[in-house]
Amino acid sequence: MEEKSSRFSDYLFAQMSSDSNAAKVECTEQPGKNKELTGIKKKLMDNLLLLITVLGVIIGVILGFSLRSANLSENSILLLSYPGELFMRILKLIILPLIMSSLVVGSASLNARLNGRIALRTLVYFFVTSIVNAVLGVILAIIIHPGDTGLKTTLKDEIGPARAGSVLDSLLDLGRNIVADNIFQATFQQAHTDYANVSIRTYNAESSAFDFSDVTVRIIKYRAGTNTLGIVFFCLIFGTILGTLGSKGKIVIEFFSVIFDVVMKMVTGVIWLTPVGISSVIAGKILSVTDIALVMSQLGWFIATVILGVFLYQLIVMQLIYLVFVKRNPFKYYLGLVQGTITAFATASTAAALPVTFTLMDDKVKVDPRISRFVLPIGCNINMDGTAMFIAIASIFIAQMNGIALGVGELITVCFTSTAASFSSASVPSAALVLLLMVLSAINTPVQDVSLLFAVDWLVDRFRTTNNMLGDCYAAAVVEKLSKKELMACDALLSQETTGFENNAKHLERELIAPTDIVIQ
């Protein structure tokens, strides 16, 4: 009897909460309470954040160029860019809890087989689009020919000779970071291969003395920076297994779901700081460049080639992919992501723009949250379409600048090494310049000339980051379309479980109320 009374109280509480929710819905639906805006006012209110963000970009550009003539001191430039620095720190603060909660909830809400299919489709899409970007970059660099042998004598080599890594080391480091040996260490450090000169002592029997020789050996070190790949891999496995536990795992799923909701509430507040932060970042970056006119005149064709490639891919290739697979108006989807594109441009980081991207995917373009929470965190670490294009163009540019003619074999090598390097790229500003060293060493091109591109990378990096960010969003839309049947099967299974719960509740109601009727009689 005591067990029945407790079950009845649980059921009664559930009924009361559902009734109160229904009452709230009725209250909110009363006519005349909330009059919706119509026409131009409604459009302005819906796109208010976008409009003031664009205004922030314009103000930042005007402020940066107008203050260059004032010859501001280093401290003045620092103070001007300080609000942008704080804005970037807030965005980076949110990234880790956002990725962890979204991946656990997203992978747990789908069954293990569907997780595998979605992951496979996502990775195939990322690989194919990265190859397309690399090939497009090679074609544009050959047609436009931005490199001139006279550039090398006029440009100053600001940075000393850099050590060239290898594609093998980069791919091995990718694996080491995916499979982290310490999940707590992964939150603030990532593994990378370094080279050290070691002195080896050998005994010479003829001279009866020891000979010393220097040998370069590989060593695995840890550098500062969040190992997001390791965290993504762990959360995917954790969430997938959590989803197989049934009712026992629901409380943990609910825990991470609440964390995700809290973080998104934080994002809603932070996102209104975007105009000020973006304006400060752009103005500070323009003021910190030594001589923009000289850089533009010397490397203008290189910059134009990269920007042309970015817009060709975004406005033509990407829209065709969306139209073929999703069969909807691609430009409507593209315009819905403008806010995220501007944020990615200003911050030059896909990861920093991730909180804003999540908001747009849920509110603007309406992609299934199970897919967006699954695809976007993976994409911001692996899918670097713009980086693949940039590395391909920069490799051929440096070869042209040194008068090196690349054959078909070398061009194919550039395409594949650029794609491989882009997969191991970190979603942080200027990471592509480090990866460019590996591609240059693969085609026997002087690696020290990479330092010539540091003068323009602050600008080019922003354009290619928009390709990376939009590539993730379009991947989510395509994967959602390809996974429609599996998602419908999951919805049907969930509906059956809900129906079964309601039937059990009705049975419990009859079982508990029937004895009361007998007593009353």
Side-chain angles (χ1 to χ4, degrees), residues 11-21:
Y11 171 74
L12 186 62
F13 177 76
Q15 288 291 100
M16 289 173 63
S17 62
S18 63
D19 292 342
S20 63
N21 289 335

Side-chain angles (χ1 to χ4, degrees), residues 113 187 249 297 306 311 313 322 339 366 416:
R113 181 179 297 178
T187 59
S297 62
V306 176
F311 283 112
Y313 181 74
Y322 187 88
Q339 175 74 33
K366 308 293 183 183
F416 281 101

Side-chain angles (χ1 to χ4, degrees), residues 104 107-108 110-112 115 235-244 374:
V104 170
S107 55
L110 305 169
N111 57 57
N115 279 345
C235 291
L236 281 176
I237 301 298
F238 182 85
T240 302
I241 297 175
L242 183 63
T244 63
F374 192 96

Side-chain angles (χ1 to χ4, degrees), residues 48-208:
L48 179 61
L49 183 60
L50 174 60
L51 293 173
I52 60 176
T53 302
V54 173
L55 183 62
V57 173
I58 296 171
I59 291 174
V61 172
I62 294 174
L63 196 63
F65 281 105
S66 61
L67 291 177
R68 285 185 66 84
S69 59
N71 295 321
L72 297 179
S73 64
E74 186 178 343
N75 288 337
S76 300
I77 296 174
L78 178 65
L79 290 175
L80 183 64
S81 58
Y82 187 65
E85 180 187 343
L86 294 182
F87 174 68
M88 289 286 293
R89 292 175 72 90
I90 294 173
L91 288 178
K92 291 177 180 178
L93 175 68
I94 296 173
I95 291 170
L96 189 59
L98 181 63
I99 288 178
M100 293 183 69
S101 59
S102 66
L103 276 175
V104 170
V105 175
S107 55
S109 62
L110 305 169
N111 57 57
R113 181 179 297 178
L114 181 55
N115 279 345
R117 289 179 180 176
I118 291 176
L120 180 61
R121 287 166 182 158
T122 303
L123 292 176
V124 169
Y125 181 91
F126 288 164
F127 180 76
V128 172
T129 54
S130 295
I131 284 282
V132 170
N133 274 271
V135 171
L136 180 60
V138 168
I139 293 172
L140 288 175
I142 292 173
I143 294 174
I144 299 175
H145 202 283
D148 184 7
T149 53
L151 282 174
K152 196 171 181 180
T153 57
T154 57
L155 288 171
K156 292 182 180 180
D157 193 353
E158 298 177 358
I159 297 177
R163 178 185 293 275
S166 68
V167 177
L168 177 62
D169 289 338
S170 180
L171 293 176
L172 292 177
D173 288 341
L174 179 65
R176 293 186 185 103
N177 285 314
I178 289 175
V179 186
D181 57 354
N182 188 326
I183 191 63
F184 297 102
Q185 185 184 27
T187 59
F188 59 89
Q189 282 186 334
Q190 50 187 248
H192 76 107
T193 301
D194 199 2
Y195 291 85
N197 293 324
V198 178
S199 182
I200 297 178
R201 187 179 69 170
T202 57
Y203 181 73
N204 192 335
E206 295 180 359
S207 61
S208 299

Side-chain angles (χ1 to χ4, degrees), residues 221-235:
K221 288 185 176 181
Y222 287 91
R223 60 188 173 198
T226 305
N227 177 16
T228 320
L229 281 174
I231 294 170
V232 164
F233 180 74
F234 175 81
C235 291

